[in-house]
């Protein structure tokens, strides 16, 4: 009986020990999956000094702020394309957001300048996020790391040194995080933006710098169902992209972006907007791309001299080059001639559309058809009627003949 008790007790202790060991192993495994404190600042600085790359908006998180402080309950904030930051750009020692280039400053300088921007009476209402609050934001944004100090973040100010950003930046793997550091105490409950995450476009499909002379021809969507608004074809001729919609031909310039300066592209809201749209569809729109646009807002990106991608709202439609020629039936030479003649006749504008009517064609004039860099592209400033020279001559012939006879009669008289 005594031996049985001893064996039972030994077995119990053995099982308990195994249970404790199993629990420790489970806890250990679990802890390795949790975010750990990582010094990612050197990685961020290395990326800023490296090759240029673009980061497109992913998601935003926020929380409620009350008179008692900032809530720990973070939620994904609903965002629209218009109010979301379009993108950030890093590389060549610079970091820019929303087309503005920034300088890096230390946390000490940033905090001093931030406090200087607040009145003396408002100093008590100004607060900075704690390390714990920042790590909560990073976790909600999907980060697999934590910071150990406010000095682990990158702080920014404008190049003129007139203003510091309320957000700090950190980069890890394929994501750039912006964290809102400061907040002001208020007397009412409000939603406070805590941070955003942006995705690198470096892994997106790149395009080649195709010479414009290799693009002439007919480009067709495979298996498309043609409609009055979308023929399923685009026609390329000598640097312009044409397409037929209803009873009109629309023309847009094919832009070789390498001819544009980096500063021009960075400041162009049209370019950054299309860049973000391309990234969502899995493609890179860079300063070396060859592309075009249209009045609907589509981006036409030439991947190479045989493939064209139309991108809209993050969705891509593939076009293949089916012919090196443009048929007279699909794009009459007369229309191309009218476009050119109207360009020459009105040097302050450019012909963007031709609408065919029963009598004379109507040409829509615009300030620009550079849809990738000009926000006014395609906007009709005025309509011009194209006179048919033969009809006009026929109408004027009786008048000219009468004038001639009158002149001749007067002479003999």
């Amino acid at each position: 009986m005594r031996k049985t008790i001893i064996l039972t007790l030994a077995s119990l202790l053995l099982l308990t020990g195994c249970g404790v060991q199993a629990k420790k192993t489970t806890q250990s495994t679990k802890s390795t999956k949790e975010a750990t404190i990582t010094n990612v600042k050197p990685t961020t600085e290395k990326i800023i000094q490296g090759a240029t790359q673009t980061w497109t908006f992913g998601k935003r998180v926020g929380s409620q702020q009350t008179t008692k402080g900032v809530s720990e309950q973070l939620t994904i904030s609903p965002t629209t394309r218009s109010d979301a930051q379009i993108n950030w750009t890093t590389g060549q020692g610079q970091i820019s957001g929303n087309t503005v280039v920034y300088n890096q400053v230390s946390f000490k300088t940033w905090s001093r300048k931030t406090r200087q921007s607040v009145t003396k009476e408002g100093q008590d209402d100004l607060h900075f996020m704690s390390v714990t609050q920042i790590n909560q934001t990073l976790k909600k944004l999907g980060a697999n790391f934590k910071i150990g100090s406010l000095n682990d973040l990158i702080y920014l100010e404008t190049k003129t040194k007139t203003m510091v950003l309320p957000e700090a930046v950190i980069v890890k793997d394929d994501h750039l995080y912006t964290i809102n550091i400061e907040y002001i105490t208020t007397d009412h409950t409000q939603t406070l933006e805590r941070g955003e995450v942006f995705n690198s476009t470096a892994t997106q499909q790149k395009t080649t710098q195709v010479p414009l002379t290799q693009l002439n021809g007919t480009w067709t969507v495979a298996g498309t169902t043609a409609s009055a608004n979308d023929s399923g074809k685009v026609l390329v001729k000598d640097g312009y992209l044409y397409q037929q919609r209803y009873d009109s031909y629309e023309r847009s310039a094919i832009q070789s972006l390498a001819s544009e300066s980096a500063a021009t592209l960075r400041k162009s809201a049209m370019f950054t907007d299309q860049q973000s749209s391309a990234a969502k569809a899995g493609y890179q729109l860079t300063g070396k791309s060859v592309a075009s646009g249209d009045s609907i807002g589509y981006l036409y990106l030439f991947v190479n001299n045989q493939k064209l991608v139309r991108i809209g709202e993050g969705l891509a439609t593939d076009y293949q080059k089916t012919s090196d020629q443009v048929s007279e039936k699909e794009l009459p030479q007369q229309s191309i001639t009218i476009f050119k003649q109207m360009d020459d006749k009105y040097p302050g504008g450019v012909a963007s559309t031709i609408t065919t009517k029963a009598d004379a064609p109507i040409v829509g004039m615009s300030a620009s058809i550079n849809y990738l860099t000009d926000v006014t592209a395609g906007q009709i400033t005025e309509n011009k009627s194209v006179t048919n020279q033969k009809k006009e001559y026929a109408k004027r012939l009786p008048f000219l003949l009468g004038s001639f006879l009158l002149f001749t009669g007067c002479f003999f008289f």
Side-chain angles (χ1 to χ4, degrees), residues 29-36 144 146:
T29 303
K30 183 179 180 180
S31 64
T32 58
K33 295 181 181 180
E34 293 178 350
T36 56
N144 60 356
K146 295 179 180 179

Side-chain angles (χ1 to χ4, degrees), residues 365-383:
M365 301 298 296
S366 302
S368 169
I369 53 175
N370 293 329
Y371 283 90
L372 300 185
T373 53
D374 195 333
V375 70
T376 67
Q379 296 179 14
I380 305 299
T381 55
E382 57 182 331
N383 290 305

Side-chain angles (χ1 to χ4, degrees), residues 61 71 96 127 158 172 174 178-179 227 286 360:
V61 300
S71 172
S96 61
H127 306 281
T158 56
K172 179 75 162 54
D174 295 328
T178 61
I179 308 297
S227 67
T286 70

Side-chain angles (χ1 to χ4, degrees), residues 152-354:
D152 291 343
L153 304 172
I154 300 292
Y155 298 89
L156 304 170
E157 71 175 355
T158 56
K159 296 195 77 172
T160 57
K161 300 182 178 181
T162 55
M163 183 184 73
V164 291
L165 261 66
E167 306 96 349
V169 175
I170 203 72
V171 180
K172 179 75 162 54
D173 299 327
D174 295 328
H175 303 290
L176 181 148
Y177 304 88
T178 61
I179 308 297
N180 288 331
I181 304 298
E182 64 173 273
Y183 65 95
I184 304 293
T185 300
T186 63
D187 296 330
H188 57 278
T189 302
Q190 65 179 15
T191 300
L192 179 68
E193 293 180 9
R194 298 286 292 271
E196 297 176 332
V197 60
F198 299 80
N199 306 314
S200 173
T201 61
T203 58
Q204 309 297 334
Q205 183 173 342
K206 296 181 179 180
T207 59
T208 57
Q209 192 172 340
V210 190
L212 296 181
T213 55
Q214 296 182 13
L215 301 180
N216 282 358
T218 303
W219 301 74
T220 309
V221 179
T224 186
T225 301
S227 67
N229 189 47
D230 186 358
S231 66
K233 292 181 180 180
V234 293
L235 312 167
V236 176
K237 186 77 172 177
D238 301 333
Y240 295 102
L241 185 148
Y242 300 87
Q243 52 189 315
Q244 187 171 6
R245 289 198 170 108
Y246 300 103
D247 57 354
S248 299
Y249 285 102
E250 180 179 298
R251 179 176 71 151
S252 58
I254 298 175
Q255 296 179 254
S256 181
L257 296 176
S259 63
E260 304 285 349
S261 69
T264 297
L265 295 179
R266 188 170 58 245
K267 293 177 182 178
S268 171
M270 294 294 294
F271 175 75
T272 54
D273 187 44
Q274 291 288 22
Q275 195 174 45
S276 178
S277 182
K280 290 177 182 177
Y283 289 88
Q284 284 192 45
L285 177 64
T286 70
K288 295 182 179 180
S289 297
V290 176
S292 187
D294 68 9
S295 60
I296 294 179
Y298 283 123
L299 166 68
Y300 297 84
L301 182 60
F302 290 91
V303 179
N304 51 51
N305 62 0
Q306 295 297 317
K307 181 180 179 180
L308 167 67
V309 177
R310 185 186 73 183
I311 299 172
E313 296 298 331
L315 300 177
T317 302
D318 292 342
Y319 287 68
Q320 297 295 328
K321 192 176 185 183
T322 54
S323 173
D324 290 333
Q325 305 297 322
V326 175
S327 74
E328 178 74 15
K329 181 179 179 181
E330 292 179 324
L331 180 62
Q333 179 60 44
Q334 180 185 6
S335 295
I336 297 177
T337 301
I338 290 174
F339 274 121
K340 186 177 186 308
Q341 287 177 343
M342 297 302 280
D343 288 346
D344 295 338
K345 188 174 181 179
Y346 302 98
V350 57
S352 59
T353 62
I354 294 178

